[in-house]
């Protein structure tokens, strides 16, 4: 019996052995490091983002090296492969090719239209993130005939939630076209990296879009808030796990968070575990959280 117990103890140690899952992402053509790529273990809640130097590092169970990971990043083709083929290696990602459109500069009259304004008191919910699987929260903006007089995207405003134990945070802004069949996000409209820095005191941040000279797509489009799983965004805080016993534990969160509003009959999309899925969180009441994102148009 003692031998059996001993063998079980040894096998349990091996099974739960921790390793550092790390590597580096480079551009296949330029050898430049790829920053803020999301590396997600499929069918799990684990993932990490690459840092400015292209390096990523995440502690995992050794058994996960046999699982597949999904690597996604703005301007690069999605990559899916076994984690063991990434471990301790430099991986070269293939850039997407884009056709540059001609930009016509014309005189514009000062005229603006703001889509979806929010009062702080009505923002009764929101989106946050634990240090687990990277994700993107999106909001759909449908085209309206009244936008003809102000067809250009001027700026976008994000209403920022609380992140009490962090001084600052970074997130990436994404703009997606619409899949005509499934009505979900498809391709990036803006290929530029738009990284936004947020300070703890910021209630909202406004991102200027004038230089991109983008007209509001007639089929509508999605604006995305992408959480970045990088060390400078990590912070620890207590969470209640049992109200009766008042038991708490320490969790690692991602800053910043995004405010939202609970609404009926409106479903948004999120990118999670390597795929797009609808975020309707309460099917019985037909409610979901609409990200608090405002858009300003100009002519």
């Amino acid at each position: 019996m003692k031998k059996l117990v001993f063998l079980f103890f040894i096998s349990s140690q091996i099974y739960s052995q921790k390793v550092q899952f790390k590597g580096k992402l480079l551009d296949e053509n330029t050898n430049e490091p790829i920053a803020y790529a999301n590396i997600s273990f499929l069918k799990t809640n684990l993932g990490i983002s690459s840092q400015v130097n292209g390096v990523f590092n995440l502690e995992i169970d050794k058994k996960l090296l046999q699982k597949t990971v999904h690597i996604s990043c703005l301007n690069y083709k999605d990559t899916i492969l076994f984690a063991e083929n990434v471990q301790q290696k430099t991986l070269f990602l293939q850039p997407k090719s884009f056709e540059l459109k001609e930009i016509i500069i014309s005189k514009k009259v000062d005229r603006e239209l703001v889509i979806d304004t929010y009062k702080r008191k009505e923002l009764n919910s929101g989106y946050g993130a634990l240090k687990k699987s990277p994700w993107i929260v999106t909001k759909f903006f449908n085209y309206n005939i009244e936008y003809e007089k102000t067809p250009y995207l001027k700026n976008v405003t994000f209403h920022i939630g609380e992140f009490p134990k962090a001084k600052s945070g970074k997130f990436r802004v994404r703009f997606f076209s619409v899949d005509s069949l499934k009505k979900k996000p498809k391709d990036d409209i803006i290929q530029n990296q738009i990284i936004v820095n947020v300070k703890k005191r910021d209630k909202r941040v406004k991102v200027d879009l004038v230089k991109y000279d983008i007209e509001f797509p007639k089929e509508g489009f999605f604006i995305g808030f992408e959480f970045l799983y990088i060390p400078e965004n990590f912070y620890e805080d207590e969470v209640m796990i049992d109200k009766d016993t008042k038991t708490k534990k320490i969790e690692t969160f991602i800053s910043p968070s995004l405010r939202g509003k609970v609404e009926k009959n409106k479903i948004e999309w999120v990118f999670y575990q390597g795929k797009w899925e609808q975020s309707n969180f309460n099917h019985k009441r037909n409610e979901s959280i609409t990200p608090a994102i405002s858009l300003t148009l100009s002519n």
Side-chain angles (χ1 to χ4, degrees):
M1 177 64 71
K2 290 183 179 179
K3 289 184 179 180
L4 289 174
V5 172
F6 177 74
L7 288 173
F8 175 77
F9 176 73
I10 294 296
S11 62
S12 297
Q13 278 191 317
I14 295 174
Y15 185 74
S16 62
Q17 183 180 355
K18 299 288 186 179
V19 296
Q20 292 299 318
F21 174 65
K22 55 185 178 180
K24 188 172 185 178
L25 302 179
L26 297 181
D27 185 292
E28 182 181 71
N29 296 337
T30 66
N31 286 339
E32 292 292 323
I34 299 174
Y36 311 130
N38 284 334
I39 303 99
S40 302
F41 283 83
L42 296 181
K43 298 181 180 180
T44 75
N45 290 323
L46 286 177
I48 196 69
S49 298
S50 60
Q51 301 177 48
V52 175
N53 60 2
V55 173
F56 60 88
N57 192 354
L58 177 68
E59 185 177 74
I60 63 170
D61 286 333
K62 189 175 182 179
K63 61 182 180 179
L64 287 176
L65 291 177
Q66 307 302 316
K67 301 293 185 179
T68 52
V69 293
H70 178 275
I71 302 174
S72 65
C73 187
L74 176 71
N75 295 335
Y76 291 90
K77 294 182 178 180
D78 285 7
T79 301
I80 298 178
L81 69 174
F82 285 106
E84 63 183 356
N85 293 330
V86 183
Q87 172 70 332
Q88 305 282 0
K89 293 181 176 66
T90 297
L91 185 66
F92 294 88
L93 300 188
Q94 186 177 0
K96 292 180 180 178
S97 58
F98 302 99
E99 182 178 343
L100 297 178
K101 65 178 182 178
E102 181 182 5
I103 297 177
I104 301 174
I105 300 176
S106 60
K107 185 177 180 180
K108 298 180 181 179
V109 180
D110 292 332
R111 183 184 291 142
E112 292 185 359
L113 175 65
V114 179
I115 304 174
D116 294 346
T117 58
Y118 295 94
K119 294 181 180 179
R120 194 73 176 177
K121 62 181 180 181
E122 68 182 358
L123 300 180
N124 49 12
S125 191
Y127 289 91
L130 291 170
K131 185 187 172 184
K132 291 183 179 179
S133 184
W135 68 323
I136 306 171
V137 176
T138 70
K139 177 180 176 179
F140 180 66
F141 286 85
N142 198 14
Y143 183 78
N144 191 305
I145 192 66
E146 67 176 300
Y147 302 160
E148 284 188 349
K149 295 182 179 180
T150 53
Y152 292 92
L153 310 189
K154 183 178 181 181
N155 59 60
V156 57
T157 299
F158 296 86
H159 294 259
I160 303 302
E162 297 179 354
F163 45 104
K165 297 297 178 67
K167 294 181 180 180
S168 61
K170 290 181 178 180
F171 69 94
R172 177 161 50 199
V173 184
R174 302 283 290 271
F175 298 82
F176 298 99
S177 61
V178 182
D179 185 313
S180 59
L181 294 177
K182 298 183 178 180
K183 305 302 180 183
K184 64 181 181 180
K186 189 179 180 183
D187 299 319
D188 284 284
I189 297 174
I190 297 179
Q191 279 72 51
N192 302 69
Q193 287 268 21
I194 304 178
I195 306 298
V196 181
N197 293 287
V198 180
K199 295 182 180 179
K200 185 176 181 178
R201 64 176 180 271
D202 293 336
K203 303 299 182 184
R204 64 181 66 86
V205 292
K206 183 179 292 185
V207 181
D208 185 15
L209 304 175
V210 173
K211 62 182 178 181
Y212 303 113
D213 199 44
I214 296 177
E215 288 192 57
F216 199 119
K218 295 296 191 295
E219 64 276 12
F221 72 106
F222 293 87
I223 296 180
F225 181 103
E226 183 173 12
F227 292 90
L228 298 178
Y229 285 61
I230 53 178
E232 60 198 275
N233 279 355
F234 299 158
Y235 70 94
E236 292 185 341
D237 201 1
E238 284 187 336
V239 294
M240 185 77 69
I241 58 176
D242 191 320
K243 292 183 179 180
D244 295 330
T245 62
K246 295 183 179 180
T247 305
K248 299 179 180 180
K249 72 173 182 176
I250 301 296
E251 288 277 15
T252 301
F253 293 86
I254 308 296
S255 63
S257 60
L258 177 65
R259 289 273 184 174
K261 181 180 179 181
V262 176
E263 296 188 85
K264 288 183 178 293
N265 304 315
K266 190 169 184 180
I267 300 176
E268 304 295 352
W269 289 83
V270 298
F271 186 80
Y272 183 66
Q273 295 184 2
K275 63 181 180 180
W276 288 106
E277 56 186 39
Q278 293 181 334
S279 63
N280 192 340
F281 74 100
N282 192 328
H283 292 279
K284 290 184 179 180
R285 300 176 61 179
N286 199 24
E287 291 180 338
S288 63
I289 302 173
T290 299
I293 303 174
S294 304
L295 180 65
T296 301
L297 306 179
S298 67
N299 62 331

